Amino acid sequence: MDCVFCEIIKGNIPSTKVYEDDFVVAFNDLNPQTPVHVLIVPKKHIASANDLVEEDAELVGRVFLAAKKIARQLGLESGYRIINNCGKDAGQTVMHLHFHMLGGKTLGEKII
Ligand code: 5GP
Ligand code: ZN
């Protein structure tokens, strides 16, 4: 399987990791859109949010618990935004489920 995030998780592609536990890893985005732009990624290969199954329910919760810890660690006490792009219309480019965590400045206009 040719998945860039699986390779990052295995350590075969370098990244700047900011968080890791048994289920979730988080690293800086290669092309940051905000002063803090972290990708929070389950270690299990799941192609997109559309490919989640019942047994992944707890894993998604763990992603958000990791986000809370990362926010504290990176000093995002004034807030942050989490975005998941799912599929072609949303512009998903890496087919391994990931959540963008954006912060470090007042974020721009909200989409919703
Ligand atoms: P998507 O467009 O799928 O929601 O987001 C994919 C994200 O992965 C992009 O923001 C892109 O910059 C990031 N990305 C792609 N390849 C790499 C990589 O090799 N390392 C890191 N750290 N980020 C990557
Ligand atoms: Zn993968």
Side-chain angles (χ1 to χ4, degrees):
M1 188 170 33
D2 195 19
C3 171
V4 63
F5 287 175
C6 281
E7 294 305 313
I8 286 175
I9 290 161
K10 285 189 252 171
N12 295 336
I13 293 177
S15 71
T16 305
K17 287 203 176 96
V18 298
Y19 176 85
E20 181 165 16
D21 65 30
D22 286 348
F23 304 96
V24 174
V25 65
F27 48 86
N28 288 333
D29 196 290
L30 202 57
N31 182 25
Q33 303 300 306
T34 46
V36 175
H37 184 172
V38 169
L39 299 172
I40 309 176
V41 180
K43 288 185 173 177
K44 178 184 176 186
H45 180 87
I46 300 166
S48 79
N50 241 1
D51 297 282
L52 286 162
V53 294
E54 287 293 324
E55 69 176 37
D56 298 323
E58 185 183 325
L59 185 56
V60 176
R62 289 186 181 280
V63 166
F64 280 83
L65 289 170
K68 179 182 160 182
K69 292 177 193 161
I70 295 161
R72 194 166 48 219
Q73 188 183 313
L74 299 184
L76 300 180
E77 45 277 303
S78 56
Y80 54 90
R81 188 172 291 158
I82 292 178
I83 294 175
N84 168 252
N85 293 316
C86 178
K88 186 163 75 64
D89 280 1
Q92 183 179 0
T93 57
V94 177
M95 294 309 288
H96 181 131
L97 179 66
H98 56 279
F99 296 82
H100 298 259
M101 183 180 211
L102 302 168
K105 66 168 199 169
T106 302
L107 298 169
E109 198 169 323
K110 296 195 288 182
I111 297 172
I112 54 161

